[in-house]
Amino acid sequence: MRKHFFSLVLTLFVSMGALAQVTTSSINGIVKDASGKSLEGATVTAVHTPSGTTYNTVAKKQGVFTLPSLRIGGPYMVKVNFVGFGTLTVESVNLLLGEPFFINAVLGVAETTLSEVTVLGKKSKLSTDKTGASTNVGIRQLQTLPTISRSITDFIRLTPQANGTSFAGRDGRYNNIQVDGANLNNNFGLSSDPLPGGGNQPISLDAFEEISVNIAPFDVRQAGFTGAGINAVTKSGTNTFKGSAYRYNRNQDYNGTKVGETKLPPGALSESQSFGLTLGGPIIKNKLFFFASVEKETREYPGIPFKP
């Protein structure tokens, strides 16, 4: 019998961004008026609605602006305003891991007879914003798609270029797996599995928020692999308390008795049980949050029958 006690995963999210591109996203864009003239000095504000976190910047030369190191997911509400012009509001903005979101903001002249002018715009992404061949697996896919081992390796196979955990014909150990910017690779290389400990993932699957698989990223900061760069981020708390409790079980009832015409020997069965819980919420509203995940897994394997 083998028992795995997954360590407590506890994260505190403060209203300030990390510098690592592989754990965050960004909002880029250009601010112009209706005639196409750039508006330098325009104010850009992005609010992460679930947590109330606010990010601000000012458009620089030629009206170009960038909001780096933003928390992934959303939705965000982005407002662009300039003195003498109406306010452009872009709602329901959801950010993907490592992929910038582009906004082409065109402001019209504000009418003095109106108390408020709100212009709703739709999101727009340019081909120059692409980061190369990449696949993003969001929280919806993590919660709904089937998984056998409850590991991120079950989801990186969604990448069209994947052959199991191999990419571009390279062994899985040539991938670079990072969680919240930390190394999660099979550094000893004792097995072909890219994860350490023979593929035993030390972080519960329910703690992940998004996974990104990059084959040939344009960003030179994403390096250290010849197969694929696999980046994952864990969940963070919001202004609302949220939690879950779960249990998974697999026993001999899920196993067959024959493989083709070969009958399995007695005892060729295994049992796996796991249960855990997650909890996240605010410590200081709009400023400080927490998220915790605890999971315990028990596995039973049969012995190997030797014949004299």
Side-chain angles (χ1 to χ4, degrees):
M1 178 186 295
R2 296 177 59 188
K3 293 185 177 181
H4 301 277
F5 293 89
F6 288 89
S7 58
L8 174 67
V9 177
L10 178 63
T11 58
L12 297 178
F13 179 78
V14 188
S15 175
M16 56 187 298
L19 295 179
Q21 180 70 15
V22 294
T23 61
T24 59
S25 187
S26 62
I27 297 178
N28 303 332
I30 301 175
V31 185
K32 297 181 179 180
D33 61 12
S35 64
K37 181 181 178 181
S38 59
L39 298 178
E40 300 178 13
T43 302
V44 182
T45 303
V47 180
H48 183 254
T49 306
S51 65
T53 308
T54 302
Y55 305 86
N56 298 283
T57 190
V58 177
K60 303 299 191 298
K61 188 177 180 180
Q62 297 181 348
V64 176
F65 70 88
T66 180
L67 287 167
S69 304
L70 301 186
R71 180 174 175 176
I72 66 169
Y76 280 84
M77 181 176 65
V78 183
K79 290 187 176 182
V80 184
N81 58 73
F82 191 72
V83 177
F85 290 83
T87 300
L88 173 67
T89 302
V90 182
E91 299 179 335
S92 301
V93 174
N94 286 277
L95 303 182
L96 299 178
L97 179 61
E99 291 192 14
F101 185 92
F102 186 83
I103 296 177
N104 186 14
V106 179
L107 303 185
V109 178
E111 297 288 343
T112 57
T113 57
L114 298 178
S115 59
E116 181 179 357
V117 176
T118 302
V119 181
L120 298 179
K122 294 183 179 180
K123 61 182 180 180
S124 172
K125 301 193 72 175
L126 300 179
S127 58
T128 55
D129 292 331
K130 298 298 182 180
T131 57
S134 64
T135 301
N136 282 79
V137 182
I139 190 170
R140 181 178 180 182
Q141 290 89 343
L142 292 174
Q143 293 176 344
T144 56
L145 293 179
T147 172
I148 302 300
S149 61
R150 288 184 50 77
S151 170
I152 60 176
T153 56
D154 288 337
F155 297 94
I156 64 177
R157 293 183 175 93
L158 297 175
T159 305
Q161 298 86 353
N163 181 11
T165 57
S166 172
F167 297 86
R170 302 294 287 170
D171 188 282
R173 287 167 290 187
Y174 287 93
N175 299 330
N176 183 23
I177 303 178
Q178 292 188 336
V179 177
D180 292 334
N183 185 318
L184 194 67
N185 293 301
N186 181 7
N187 294 318
F188 290 99
L190 299 180
S191 67
S192 59
D193 198 291
L195 289 173
N200 294 315
Q201 181 174 285
I203 302 176
S204 170
L205 185 63
D206 286 68
F208 288 102
E209 183 171 1
E210 187 173 339
I211 301 171
S212 174
V213 182
N214 299 289
I215 307 299
F218 299 155
D219 191 345
V220 296
R221 292 172 294 180
Q222 299 189 37
F225 60 89
T226 57
I230 304 168
N231 303 302
V233 292
T234 55
K235 298 176 182 176
S236 298
T238 63
N239 284 329
T240 304
F241 284 99
K242 294 181 180 179
S244 64
Y246 54 90
R247 178 176 180 175
Y248 297 91
N249 182 68
R250 186 182 66 185
N251 57 24
Q252 64 273 13
D253 295 336
Y254 295 87
N255 291 57
T257 58
K258 296 176 64 178
V259 177
E261 298 299 326
T262 304
K263 187 176 181 180
L264 297 177
L269 305 172
S270 63
E271 183 172 354
S272 175
Q273 295 182 3
S274 61
F275 60 89
L277 57 89
T278 63
L279 180 64
I283 298 177
I284 302 177
K285 189 175 182 180
N286 296 337
K287 293 184 179 180
L288 186 63
F289 312 92
F290 77 94
F291 176 81
S293 174
V294 182
E295 181 174 296
K296 176 184 178 181
E297 181 175 340
T298 303
R299 298 180 184 178
E300 295 183 4
Y301 298 97
I304 300 176
F306 291 96
K307 295 183 179 181

